[in-house]
Each structure stands twice: as structure tokens, then as C-alpha cells.
Amino acid sequence: IRRIAVFTSGGDAPGMNAALRAVVRTAAWNKLHVYGIERGYEGMIDGHFKRMERRDVANIIQRGGTVLRTARSMRFMTPEGRAQAADHLRAYDIDACIAIGGNGTFTGAKIFSEEHGIPFIGIPGTIDNDLYGTDYTIGFDTAVNTAIEAVDKIRDTADSHNRLFFVEVMGRHSGYIALHTAIGSGASSVLIPEANTNLEDLKTVLKKNKARGKLFSVVIVAEGHPMGGAAGIAAKIKDDLASMEPKVTVIGHLQRGGAPTALDRLLASRLGYAAVTKLLEGEENVAVGIVNDLVTLTSFEEAIYKEKKPQGDLIEMASILAI
Ligand code: F6P
């Protein structure tokens, strides 16, 4: 392997820049030529490649977003789009690609490498933490810290007015951000797709809490909850809890921005370094991850399709600590 390409794709995640820096510098150390592709698969299709050397990734470890920019590419879902992308990779003599992104990114990488024979290594970068094969994905810790900071502020006003707040956090179909935010912010309750939620139980808990002297409540709702987001759930129970003046806050894309936390910088650096070293050891079409503090490799197939769920004991603990 002499030349590699690296790109970020799908939703941006804080720490993607730290991963890119690690890839470029590890590659440079090993005398590889690196090309950065702009806007993920879109840039691969349009031929937006640029040579990246060690100085090109200076001063980015602390920056949120992705300096390579990103996109969700519909064109890459078509064989024609992928063929065009393959032509560009061949024109630049690229021997392998490193893809930083989530589920959609890995799915694209898997199909593409099967179709065109160009090896890929995946680096899990998504705030959702929904990829199998790594304890945490890049960006998750920062997103949870941002959400917790927001809930801390909501607590002030909820407390002042004795109100009930439904706070919606991101996570697509996954409850990780919601569960970790709820535990870290001391929320009264959390509603995630992985747990069966009974709204009658929720109403009972909130009323009981009030009777026990709890002056306000914050309920964290995962956006992907099958009963609807925070607005949907609040609408279903607002009549019964009208005296608590229910309010809804959607944190939204705030969770995707900001400087990566120390944990995310470290994770991203380790995974970027691992992606290049594993590629040089002959690995291909796998995702790198960290499980129990050790670098692990997982096939794209498993990373994409194996279910990753928060530990059941965390869900139980969250409700016990909220009494
Ligand atoms: O995958 C990351 C994520 O932020 C999800 O939590 C959310 O559902 C989705 O992306 C939002 O995507 P977009 O920014 O394209 O609207």
C-alpha cells in the first residue's frame, strides 16, 4: 500500500478532525501518500481529492465538525455513482480508503469494496454510539456532555417554576445519548426505543414524585422513541399532568457541534492510528473499535447489522437513582 484516501461522511461528529489528524500523521510516518476527499462519497463521485501532508492537519485536534466537510450521498447508493467514484480512486492510484462515519458510511464502504475491489477500513464516528464493535463511537461523549449542560440549564428554570420538562435528545433509532444524558443530568425519567415504555407508569411516577415533594421533573426522550419525540409524548400525557405545566425542549443539532471532549480526542486519535496500522498489517473491510480499552476489528457486516443496546442494568439504575 502506497497511497490511501481518507474522508468523513454522514452526520458530523466532534472528534472527526482528531481522527483525520491521526490518520494523516500515522500515514505520513509510514511514508504513505494521503489524499483527503471532500464531502465524503459526494466528493469521491465528483473527484474532489486533495493531497494531505502532516502540516495540513495542524491545529484541528480541538475543532468540532469536520474540516473535510461531509454529506449524506444519495448518488453513492446507485451503481452508476459508485462506478464514477471508483474511476476517480483509480485515477489517483488509491490503494485503500479510510472512511470515518456511521452506519450509512460503513454500508457504502461494504458495498463499494465488494463491487470494485478497493479495500476499506472504517472508523466509527457518530454521536449516536449505535455501531457494534466499539464501546463508544467518536463524538458520543461530546454530545452527551453538551446535552447534560443543556439539561443543567433547563433544571434552573424548571425548578424556579415547578414545571415538568420533556427534553428531546438525538440518537436516531438509538437510546444511548438519552440514557447517558439522563444518568449524568439526574433526570427523573428517560424514554428510549430499547425499553418498553408505558405512559401510564410514567404518569404514576411523575405524580408520585410530586406527592413526595419533588418540585420539578425533567424527562429525557430519545428522538427515535416509537411513541414520537418529546412533543409527541408530552401531547399524550399533558392533560393528566396539566398542573405541572409540561414544556418541551428539543436540543437538536447543538449536540453535533463544539470542541471534542478529552475522551473523544483520545478515542479518535487511537482509532485513526489503529486504522492505518491495521491497514498496513493487511487488514481490510473491517471497522476499528475500542472494546474494554483494547483495539478490536469488526467486519463491516457485523458493525452495521449486529444490534448494540445499552446495558439493561443502566436503564434500571437510572430509574432507581431518580426516586
Ligand atoms: O446520526 C447522527 C444524527 O445526528 C442523528 O442523531 C440524527 O437523527 C441525524 O443525525 C440527523 O441528521 P441530519 O443532520 O442529516 O438531519
Side-chain angles (χ1 to χ4, degrees):
I1 289 195
R2 288 183 317 107
R3 288 179 177 226
I4 63 168
V6 57
F7 61 93
T8 52
S9 158
D12 60 325
M16 280 184 162
N17 285 328
L20 173 67
R21 170 181 178 270
V23 167
V24 170
R25 295 217 167 144
T26 310
W29 174 264
N30 286 288
K31 311 232 168 343
L32 302 180
H33 280 226
V34 186
Y35 284 84
I37 304 175
E38 289 177 343
R39 301 194 66 238
Y41 293 122
E42 283 290 290
M44 201 184 277
I45 294 170
D46 293 331
H48 294 156
F49 291 50
K50 60 178 182 189
R51 179 85 167 86
M52 293 192 89
E53 314 221 28
R54 62 195 78 192
R55 296 317 321 151
D56 295 321
V57 289
N59 200 25
I60 64 167
I61 194 169
Q62 78 284 17
R63 287 171 60 185
T66 157
V67 295
L68 280 179
R69 297 182 293 132
T70 187
R72 299 194 193 276
S73 176
M74 303 307 282
R75 289 190 291 161
F76 201 75
M77 292 179 188
T78 66
E80 297 75 27
R82 292 193 294 273
Q84 217 172 310
D87 286 345
H88 286 300
L89 289 177
R90 288 201 192 95
Y92 279 89
D93 240 344
I94 301 295
D95 300 314
C97 289
I98 296 184
I100 308 172
N103 216 283
T105 306
F106 286 7
T107 306
K110 179 178 180 301
I111 296 171
F112 184 85
S113 55
E114 285 164 5
E115 235 170 43
H116 295 283
I118 298 174
F120 273 64
I121 298 275
I123 298 181
T126 162
I127 63 166
D128 297 349
N129 198 32
D130 59 351
L131 285 172
Y132 183 85
T134 190
D135 287 340
Y136 297 107
T137 54
I138 297 167
F140 171 70
D141 186 61
T142 308
V144 170
N145 273 279
T146 302
I148 287 176
E149 217 180 296
V151 176
D152 286 350
K153 291 188 168 133
I154 284 169
R155 276 174 159 278
D156 289 346
T157 177
D159 186 14
S160 304
H161 286 266
N162 295 359
R163 278 175 173 163
L164 163 62
F165 269 82
F166 290 91
V167 181
E168 180 178 308
V169 296
M170 278 186 163
R172 203 180 292 265
H173 307 299
S174 163
Y176 270 101
I177 297 180
L179 183 60
H180 285 233
T181 299
I183 294 169
S185 67
S188 311
S189 193
V190 57
L191 304 180
I192 59 175
E194 294 88 347
N196 280 334
T197 309
N198 180 330
L199 288 189
E200 288 311 311
D201 291 348
L202 175 67
K203 281 192 265 187
T204 311
V205 167
L206 292 173
K207 284 180 184 164
K208 230 189 231 162
N209 283 348
K210 196 174 179 194
R212 281 198 199 117
K214 216 172 187 162
L215 295 178
F216 70 96
S217 293
V218 177
V219 177
I220 310 294
V221 183
E223 65 170 339
H225 196 281
M227 280 192 231
I233 288 175
K236 287 192 179 71
I237 67 171
K238 73 172 186 322
D239 291 342
D240 280 340
L241 300 169
S243 67
M244 299 171 92
E245 290 188 64
K247 298 280 175 190
V248 171
T249 300
V250 179
I251 303 181
H253 286 80
L254 264 182
Q255 287 155 102
R256 285 241 299 262
T261 59
L263 277 182
D264 271 330
R265 295 180 198 197
L266 199 76
L267 176 65
S269 300
R270 286 185 77 183
L271 293 180
Y273 172 80
V276 177
T277 47
K278 293 296 173 191
L279 194 59
L280 290 172
E281 283 167 24
E283 299 290 347
E284 51 185 62
N285 304 330
V286 289
V288 290
I290 307 265
V291 175
N292 292 332
D293 213 24
L294 291 174
V295 171
T296 52
L297 299 176
T298 305
S299 68
F300 280 140
E301 178 83 18
E302 282 191 321
I304 299 163
Y305 298 111
K306 259 201 169 171
E307 196 185 14
K308 179 169 165 194
K309 270 214 252 187
Q311 299 285 358
D313 63 341
L314 278 193
I315 301 174
E316 193 189 341
M317 185 193 81
S319 68
I320 292 174
L321 299 190
I323 56 172

